[in-house]
Amino acid sequence: MPGKERLYKLSVLAYLILWFTGCFWLMAAISSGLFEHALGIDLVLLKDYIYYGAAGAIGGTLYAMRLFHQFYDSLTERWVLWYLLRPINCAGAAVMTIILFESGVMLLQTGNSVLAKIGIAFLVGFGYGKVMDKLKSVTETLFNGKSDSDSSDADRQSKP
């Protein structure tokens, strides 16, 4: 069993390092114009969103590498899946969060600065769990008309 555990650890570490360095490389490649057209898609139109996704993945991967180091001795198969999905989830969440800010659904003043949005995307990736909690709260408020805290208050008031 120790051989399997060691293989998991080396695989997770290699995967996270590839994501971390690969996202920096992707941002540099896009910036240099290396991928102006790929697979029939004009990537120049999507350049900013690729930056946001890569920055979110960098933030999420950095957080995952910190936890990997901190909990190295307690890695289980369950957590391997968490490590594998973390950069992907963070990239998607970063792009969608920036879109929510740009659309005005969520309020945050960033202006038109791409660098500020890249910074926010990084923070979304790094703080992915907290962002998901906030999005859940916003969704509850928008679509149920009340948040969890409101329903808890109502439950407490209705009890004798």
Side-chain angles (χ1 to χ4, degrees):
M1 192 61 138
K4 187 177 181 181
E5 183 178 317
R6 186 176 181 146
L7 180 63
Y8 278 152
K9 290 177 180 179
L10 287 173
S11 298
V12 167
L13 180 61
Y15 178 78
L16 292 174
I17 289 171
L18 281 173
W19 265 99
F20 191 73
T21 57
C23 286
F24 280 111
W25 179 86
L26 177 63
M27 291 173 85
I30 294 291
S31 179
S32 71
L34 182 62
F35 300 118
E36 289 186 4
H37 301 284
L39 303 172
I41 300 171
D42 187 6
L43 293 181
V44 173
L45 300 173
L46 300 174
K47 181 171 79 169
D48 291 348
Y49 295 101
I50 294 170
Y51 289 153
Y52 307 148
I58 289 168
T61 304
L62 184 63
Y63 183 82
M65 286 192 293
R66 184 180 70 83
L67 288 183
F68 180 78
H69 177 263
Q70 186 176 355
F71 297 106
Y72 180 80
D73 293 328
S74 58
L75 182 69
T76 63
E77 289 181 13
R78 178 180 179 267
W79 285 105
V80 169
L81 183 61
W82 182 90
Y83 285 111
L84 295 177
L85 292 176
R86 180 76 185 203
I88 298 164
N89 290 343
C90 293
V95 171
M96 292 310 300
T97 301
I98 295 299
I99 289 172
L100 289 170
F101 287 145
E102 287 179 343
S103 69
V105 172
M106 292 178 65
L107 300 176
L108 183 66
Q109 298 296 326
T110 60
N112 291 328
S113 170
V114 173
L115 288 177
K117 292 175 186 174
I118 289 171
I120 291 168
F122 170 82
L123 293 173
V124 167
F126 193 81
Y128 175 75
K130 290 177 177 66
V131 171
M132 289 300 105
D133 290 343
K134 183 56 77 176
L135 286 176
K136 181 181 176 192
S137 174
V138 168
T139 303
E140 289 288 325
T141 301
L142 283 174
F143 299 113
N144 286 343
K146 57 186 173 188
S147 68
D148 286 339
S149 62
D150 291 341
S151 62
S152 299
D153 292 339
D155 291 342
R156 277 183 256 144
Q157 291 174 357
S158 65
K159 292 181 182 177

PDB file of all heavy atoms in Angstrom, residues 136-160:
ATOM      1  N   LYS A 136     -23.800  30.981  -3.245  1.00  0.00           N
ATOM      2  CA  LYS A 136     -24.964  30.249  -2.754  1.00  0.00           C
ATOM      3  C   LYS A 136     -25.909  31.207  -2.034  1.00  0.00           C
ATOM      4  O   LYS A 136     -27.122  31.162  -2.232  1.00  0.00           O
ATOM      5  CB  LYS A 136     -24.534  29.126  -1.820  1.00  0.00           C
ATOM      6  CG  LYS A 136     -25.696  28.315  -1.302  1.00  0.00           C
ATOM      7  CD  LYS A 136     -25.242  27.228  -0.364  1.00  0.00           C
ATOM      8  CE  LYS A 136     -26.455  26.510   0.202  1.00  0.00           C
ATOM      9  NZ  LYS A 136     -26.129  25.651   1.305  1.00  0.00           N
ATOM     10  N   SER A 137     -25.350  32.089  -1.222  1.00  0.00           N
ATOM     11  CA  SER A 137     -26.160  33.068  -0.501  1.00  0.00           C
ATOM     12  C   SER A 137     -26.868  34.017  -1.470  1.00  0.00           C
ATOM     13  O   SER A 137     -28.057  34.316  -1.301  1.00  0.00           O
ATOM     14  CB  SER A 137     -25.270  33.846   0.462  1.00  0.00           C
ATOM     15  OG  SER A 137     -25.977  34.882   1.069  1.00  0.00           O
ATOM     16  N   VAL A 138     -26.146  34.487  -2.480  1.00  0.00           N
ATOM     17  CA  VAL A 138     -26.735  35.378  -3.486  1.00  0.00           C
ATOM     18  C   VAL A 138     -27.849  34.658  -4.230  1.00  0.00           C
ATOM     19  O   VAL A 138     -28.924  35.220  -4.472  1.00  0.00           O
ATOM     20  CB  VAL A 138     -25.657  35.899  -4.454  1.00  0.00           C
ATOM     21  CG1 VAL A 138     -26.278  36.575  -5.664  1.00  0.00           C
ATOM     22  CG2 VAL A 138     -24.713  36.847  -3.744  1.00  0.00           C
ATOM     23  N   THR A 139     -27.620  33.410  -4.591  1.00  0.00           N
ATOM     24  CA  THR A 139     -28.620  32.626  -5.313  1.00  0.00           C
ATOM     25  C   THR A 139     -29.863  32.426  -4.456  1.00  0.00           C
ATOM     26  O   THR A 139     -30.991  32.557  -4.948  1.00  0.00           O
ATOM     27  CB  THR A 139     -28.033  31.263  -5.734  1.00  0.00           C
ATOM     28  OG1 THR A 139     -26.876  31.481  -6.517  1.00  0.00           O
ATOM     29  CG2 THR A 139     -29.031  30.460  -6.541  1.00  0.00           C
ATOM     30  N   GLU A 140     -29.668  32.117  -3.186  1.00  0.00           N
ATOM     31  CA  GLU A 140     -30.807  31.965  -2.278  1.00  0.00           C
ATOM     32  C   GLU A 140     -31.612  33.256  -2.204  1.00  0.00           C
ATOM     33  O   GLU A 140     -32.839  33.242  -2.255  1.00  0.00           O
ATOM     34  CB  GLU A 140     -30.330  31.574  -0.872  1.00  0.00           C
ATOM     35  CG  GLU A 140     -29.802  30.173  -0.749  1.00  0.00           C
ATOM     36  CD  GLU A 140     -30.889  29.119  -0.819  1.00  0.00           C
ATOM     37  OE1 GLU A 140     -32.009  29.380  -0.323  1.00  0.00           O
ATOM     38  OE2 GLU A 140     -30.623  28.049  -1.376  1.00  0.00           O
ATOM     39  N   THR A 141     -30.926  34.369  -2.088  1.00  0.00           N
ATOM     40  CA  THR A 141     -31.603  35.660  -1.979  1.00  0.00           C
ATOM     41  C   THR A 141     -32.352  35.998  -3.265  1.00  0.00           C
ATOM     42  O   THR A 141     -33.499  36.450  -3.231  1.00  0.00           O
ATOM     43  CB  THR A 141     -30.590  36.765  -1.651  1.00  0.00           C
ATOM     44  OG1 THR A 141     -29.939  36.430  -0.428  1.00  0.00           O
ATOM     45  CG2 THR A 141     -31.263  38.109  -1.517  1.00  0.00           C
ATOM     46  N   LEU A 142     -31.705  35.764  -4.415  1.00  0.00           N
ATOM     47  CA  LEU A 142     -32.327  36.111  -5.695  1.00  0.00           C
ATOM     48  C   LEU A 142     -33.518  35.233  -6.042  1.00  0.00           C
ATOM     49  O   LEU A 142     -34.535  35.722  -6.528  1.00  0.00           O
ATOM     50  CB  LEU A 142     -31.306  36.016  -6.830  1.00  0.00           C
ATOM     51  CG  LEU A 142     -30.299  37.141  -6.958  1.00  0.00           C
ATOM     52  CD1 LEU A 142     -29.283  36.823  -8.038  1.00  0.00           C
ATOM     53  CD2 LEU A 142     -30.996  38.456  -7.272  1.00  0.00           C
ATOM     54  N   PHE A 143     -33.409  33.946  -5.789  1.00  0.00           N
ATOM     55  CA  PHE A 143     -34.420  33.032  -6.298  1.00  0.00           C
ATOM     56  C   PHE A 143     -35.389  32.496  -5.251  1.00  0.00           C
ATOM     57  O   PHE A 143     -36.446  32.002  -5.597  1.00  0.00           O
ATOM     58  CB  PHE A 143     -33.739  31.874  -7.046  1.00  0.00           C
ATOM     59  CG  PHE A 143     -32.952  32.353  -8.222  1.00  0.00           C
ATOM     60  CD1 PHE A 143     -31.586  32.259  -8.235  1.00  0.00           C
ATOM     61  CD2 PHE A 143     -33.583  32.947  -9.313  1.00  0.00           C
ATOM     62  CE1 PHE A 143     -30.851  32.722  -9.317  1.00  0.00           C
ATOM     63  CE2 PHE A 143     -32.866  33.409 -10.392  1.00  0.00           C
ATOM     64  CZ  PHE A 143     -31.497  33.296 -10.398  1.00  0.00           C
ATOM     65  N   ASN A 144     -35.064  32.592  -3.990  1.00  0.00           N
ATOM     66  CA  ASN A 144     -35.992  32.164  -2.948  1.00  0.00           C
ATOM     67  C   ASN A 144     -36.602  33.341  -2.216  1.00  0.00           C
ATOM     68  O   ASN A 144     -37.522  33.163  -1.441  1.00  0.00           O
ATOM     69  CB  ASN A 144     -35.289  31.272  -1.915  1.00  0.00           C
ATOM     70  CG  ASN A 144     -35.018  29.899  -2.462  1.00  0.00           C
ATOM     71  OD1 ASN A 144     -35.596  29.487  -3.452  1.00  0.00           O
ATOM     72  ND2 ASN A 144     -34.129  29.185  -1.809  1.00  0.00           N
ATOM     73  N   GLY A 145     -36.023  34.512  -2.402  1.00  0.00           N
ATOM     74  CA  GLY A 145     -36.529  35.689  -1.718  1.00  0.00           C
ATOM     75  C   GLY A 145     -36.049  35.814  -0.290  1.00  0.00           C
ATOM     76  O   GLY A 145     -36.405  36.725   0.412  1.00  0.00           O
ATOM     77  N   LYS A 146     -35.249  34.859   0.154  1.00  0.00           N
ATOM     78  CA  LYS A 146     -34.696  34.935   1.500  1.00  0.00           C
ATOM     79  C   LYS A 146     -33.418  34.119   1.531  1.00  0.00           C
ATOM     80  O   LYS A 146     -33.220  33.204   0.752  1.00  0.00           O
ATOM     81  CB  LYS A 146     -35.681  34.418   2.543  1.00  0.00           C
ATOM     82  CG  LYS A 146     -36.129  32.991   2.285  1.00  0.00           C
ATOM     83  CD  LYS A 146     -37.200  32.587   3.260  1.00  0.00           C
ATOM     84  CE  LYS A 146     -37.747  31.218   2.874  1.00  0.00           C
ATOM     85  NZ  LYS A 146     -38.886  30.841   3.630  1.00  0.00           N
ATOM     86  N   SER A 147     -32.536  34.456   2.430  1.00  0.00           N
ATOM     87  CA  SER A 147     -31.286  33.714   2.578  1.00  0.00           C
ATOM     88  C   SER A 147     -31.449  32.708   3.710  1.00  0.00           C
ATOM     89  O   SER A 147     -32.461  32.691   4.399  1.00  0.00           O
ATOM     90  CB  SER A 147     -30.130  34.662   2.863  1.00  0.00           C
ATOM     91  OG  SER A 147     -30.295  35.238   4.131  1.00  0.00           O
ATOM     92  N   ASP A 148     -30.431  31.873   3.924  1.00  0.00           N
ATOM     93  CA  ASP A 148     -30.469  30.887   5.007  1.00  0.00           C
ATOM     94  C   ASP A 148     -30.664  31.568   6.357  1.00  0.00           C
ATOM     95  O   ASP A 148     -31.385  31.070   7.208  1.00  0.00           O
ATOM     96  CB  ASP A 148     -29.174  30.059   5.036  1.00  0.00           C
ATOM     97  CG  ASP A 148     -29.121  29.062   3.892  1.00  0.00           C
ATOM     98  OD1 ASP A 148     -30.197  28.737   3.344  1.00  0.00           O
ATOM     99  OD2 ASP A 148     -28.013  28.612   3.557  1.00  0.00           O
ATOM    100  N   SER A 149     -30.007  32.714   6.553  1.00  0.00           N
ATOM    101  CA  SER A 149     -30.135  33.398   7.835  1.00  0.00           C
ATOM    102  C   SER A 149     -31.555  33.921   8.032  1.00  0.00           C
ATOM    103  O   SER A 149     -32.083  33.900   9.141  1.00  0.00           O
ATOM    104  CB  SER A 149     -29.121  34.535   7.951  1.00  0.00           C
ATOM    105  OG  SER A 149     -29.357  35.500   6.945  1.00  0.00           O
ATOM    106  N   ASP A 150     -32.201  34.372   6.941  1.00  0.00           N
ATOM    107  CA  ASP A 150     -33.583  34.830   7.046  1.00  0.00           C
ATOM    108  C   ASP A 150     -34.507  33.685   7.404  1.00  0.00           C
ATOM    109  O   ASP A 150     -35.395  33.829   8.229  1.00  0.00           O
ATOM    110  CB  ASP A 150     -34.065  35.455   5.732  1.00  0.00           C
ATOM    111  CG  ASP A 150     -33.370  36.772   5.429  1.00  0.00           C
ATOM    112  OD1 ASP A 150     -32.810  37.371   6.368  1.00  0.00           O
ATOM    113  OD2 ASP A 150     -33.393  37.185   4.252  1.00  0.00           O
ATOM    114  N   SER A 151     -34.314  32.517   6.778  1.00  0.00           N
ATOM    115  CA  SER A 151     -35.189  31.385   7.069  1.00  0.00           C
ATOM    116  C   SER A 151     -34.953  30.874   8.482  1.00  0.00           C
ATOM    117  O   SER A 151     -35.874  30.417   9.131  1.00  0.00           O
ATOM    118  CB  SER A 151     -34.983  30.263   6.040  1.00  0.00           C
ATOM    119  OG  SER A 151     -33.665  29.777   6.090  1.00  0.00           O
ATOM    120  N   SER A 152     -33.717  30.960   8.964  1.00  0.00           N
ATOM    121  CA  SER A 152     -33.437  30.548  10.346  1.00  0.00           C
ATOM    122  C   SER A 152     -34.142  31.478  11.322  1.00  0.00           C
ATOM    123  O   SER A 152     -34.690  31.039  12.324  1.00  0.00           O
ATOM    124  CB  SER A 152     -31.933  30.561  10.620  1.00  0.00           C
ATOM    125  OG  SER A 152     -31.279  29.661   9.780  1.00  0.00           O
ATOM    126  N   ASP A 153     -34.124  32.782  11.040  1.00  0.00           N
ATOM    127  CA  ASP A 153     -34.826  33.739  11.892  1.00  0.00           C
ATOM    128  C   ASP A 153     -36.329  33.476  11.908  1.00  0.00           C
ATOM    129  O   ASP A 153     -36.956  33.515  12.951  1.00  0.00           O
ATOM    130  CB  ASP A 153     -34.565  35.171  11.429  1.00  0.00           C
ATOM    131  CG  ASP A 153     -33.116  35.601  11.636  1.00  0.00           C
ATOM    132  OD1 ASP A 153     -32.423  34.973  12.473  1.00  0.00           O
ATOM    133  OD2 ASP A 153     -32.700  36.566  10.967  1.00  0.00           O
ATOM    134  N   ALA A 154     -36.872  33.177  10.737  1.00  0.00           N
ATOM    135  CA  ALA A 154     -38.310  32.920  10.646  1.00  0.00           C
ATOM    136  C   ALA A 154     -38.674  31.647  11.406  1.00  0.00           C
ATOM    137  O   ALA A 154     -39.704  31.586  12.070  1.00  0.00           O
ATOM    138  CB  ALA A 154     -38.741  32.791   9.177  1.00  0.00           C
ATOM    139  N   ASP A 155     -37.816  30.627  11.322  1.00  0.00           N
ATOM    140  CA  ASP A 155     -38.061  29.385  12.052  1.00  0.00           C
ATOM    141  C   ASP A 155     -38.060  29.637  13.551  1.00  0.00           C
ATOM    142  O   ASP A 155     -38.891  29.102  14.272  1.00  0.00           O
ATOM    143  CB  ASP A 155     -37.010  28.313  11.711  1.00  0.00           C
ATOM    144  CG  ASP A 155     -37.161  27.804  10.288  1.00  0.00           C
ATOM    145  OD1 ASP A 155     -38.239  28.005   9.683  1.00  0.00           O
ATOM    146  OD2 ASP A 155     -36.186  27.208   9.778  1.00  0.00           O
ATOM    147  N   ARG A 156     -37.114  30.441  14.008  1.00  0.00           N
ATOM    148  CA  ARG A 156     -37.007  30.722  15.447  1.00  0.00           C
ATOM    149  C   ARG A 156     -38.222  31.522  15.924  1.00  0.00           C
ATOM    150  O   ARG A 156     -38.709  31.338  17.036  1.00  0.00           O
ATOM    151  CB  ARG A 156     -35.733  31.481  15.762  1.00  0.00           C
ATOM    152  CG  ARG A 156     -34.545  30.540  15.908  1.00  0.00           C
ATOM    153  CD  ARG A 156     -33.312  31.291  16.295  1.00  0.00           C
ATOM    154  NE  ARG A 156     -32.545  31.363  15.045  1.00  0.00           N
ATOM    155  CZ  ARG A 156     -31.810  32.378  14.669  1.00  0.00           C
ATOM    156  NH1 ARG A 156     -31.683  33.417  15.423  1.00  0.00           N
ATOM    157  NH2 ARG A 156     -31.180  32.362  13.534  1.00  0.00           N
ATOM    158  N   GLN A 157     -38.709  32.452  15.110  1.00  0.00           N
ATOM    159  CA  GLN A 157     -39.832  33.287  15.509  1.00  0.00           C
ATOM    160  C   GLN A 157     -41.138  32.499  15.540  1.00  0.00           C
ATOM    161  O   GLN A 157     -42.027  32.792  16.322  1.00  0.00           O
ATOM    162  CB  GLN A 157     -39.971  34.480  14.589  1.00  0.00           C
ATOM    163  CG  GLN A 157     -38.840  35.481  14.753  1.00  0.00           C
ATOM    164  CD  GLN A 157     -38.924  36.604  13.726  1.00  0.00           C
ATOM    165  OE1 GLN A 157     -39.792  36.610  12.869  1.00  0.00           O
ATOM    166  NE2 GLN A 157     -38.008  37.551  13.825  1.00  0.00           N
ATOM    167  N   SER A 158     -41.255  31.486  14.687  1.00  0.00           N
ATOM    168  CA  SER A 158     -42.506  30.741  14.627  1.00  0.00           C
ATOM    169  C   SER A 158     -42.619  29.694  15.733  1.00  0.00           C
ATOM    170  O   SER A 158     -43.698  29.206  16.005  1.00  0.00           O
ATOM    171  CB  SER A 158     -42.659  30.062  13.253  1.00  0.00           C
ATOM    172  OG  SER A 158     -41.661  29.087  13.087  1.00  0.00           O
ATOM    173  N   LYS A 159     -41.516  29.366  16.377  1.00  0.00           N
ATOM    174  CA  LYS A 159     -41.543  28.378  17.453  1.00  0.00           C
ATOM    175  C   LYS A 159     -41.948  29.064  18.744  1.00  0.00           C
ATOM    176  O   LYS A 159     -41.511  30.179  19.037  1.00  0.00           O
ATOM    177  CB  LYS A 159     -40.189  27.714  17.612  1.00  0.00           C
ATOM    178  CG  LYS A 159     -39.830  26.829  16.434  1.00  0.00           C
ATOM    179  CD  LYS A 159     -38.495  26.171  16.635  1.00  0.00           C
ATOM    180  CE  LYS A 159     -38.155  25.336  15.405  1.00  0.00           C
ATOM    181  NZ  LYS A 159     -36.849  24.739  15.499  1.00  0.00           N
ATOM    182  N   PRO A 160     -42.810  28.394  19.553  1.00  0.00           N
ATOM    183  CA  PRO A 160     -43.259  29.012  20.817  1.00  0.00           C
ATOM    184  C   PRO A 160     -42.177  29.062  21.864  1.00  0.00           C
ATOM    185  O   PRO A 160     -41.235  28.442  21.899  1.00  0.00           O
ATOM    186  CB  PRO A 160     -44.394  28.119  21.283  1.00  0.00           C
ATOM    187  CG  PRO A 160     -44.341  26.871  20.478  1.00  0.00           C
ATOM    188  CD  PRO A 160     -43.470  27.145  19.302  1.00  0.00           C
TER     189      PRO A 160
END
